[in-house]
Amino acid sequence: MQATQHYIKHLLRHGFVVLPRDDAEKFLELLRERGAIHLFHVTRLSRYVVVELNKAPCLRECDPKCRDLASGKKLIECETSCIDQCVMERMNVFVSKVLGK
């Protein structure tokens, strides 16, 4: 349980965590049980598993919202703000599901 809490703190701080294969299955099972697995992208390597926040939905959501209507150019400041907000919302969902807050 101590290791799991450490991994959760690392995920919250950095948005990803690298786990040894043995610990990864327990951690992924916790995410599945709590209904939070869909928030993450999991990459399995030979000895490690990388679990990172899936930002693709945020990119898809923010791209059309942050375009100039006349020229179609991306508004970088808007997009950055939108993605940051979306990522924070996804992290809050993770916290509420896993930590029960």
Side-chain angles (χ1 to χ4, degrees):
M1 190 60 158
Q2 183 80 4
T4 302
Q5 290 176 348
H6 173 72
Y7 297 146
I8 290 171
K9 287 179 183 178
H10 194 81
L11 263 173
L12 291 172
R13 188 174 299 124
H14 302 290
F16 74 95
V17 66
V18 179
L19 308 166
R21 273 295 262 219
D22 299 335
D23 293 348
E25 293 310 317
K26 294 174 196 168
F27 187 70
L28 293 174
E29 187 59 35
L30 171 73
L31 294 178
R32 282 186 201 95
E33 287 173 2
R34 301 294 173 95
I37 192 73
H38 69 282
L39 298 170
F40 297 94
H41 179 73
V42 178
T43 305
R44 297 175 194 278
L45 305 171
S46 60
R47 293 175 34 205
Y48 299 100
V49 174
V50 180
V51 180
E52 62 184 315
L53 186 69
N54 187 1
K55 296 178 185 171
C58 295
L59 296 173
R60 282 193 302 272
E61 178 184 324
C62 292
D63 185 54
K65 284 184 181 178
C66 294
R67 294 218 174 242
D68 184 276
L69 295 177
S71 67
K73 287 184 178 180
K74 278 187 183 181
L75 303 171
I76 302 299
E77 191 172 307
C78 170
E79 186 176 45
T80 302
S81 174
C82 180
I83 291 171
D84 286 347
Q85 182 179 354
C86 179
V87 166
M88 291 308 297
E89 287 171 4
R90 291 176 71 80
M91 276 300 190
N92 287 335
V93 170
F94 165 67
V95 167
S96 67
K97 286 181 180 270
V98 174
L99 301 179
K101 291 183 180 177

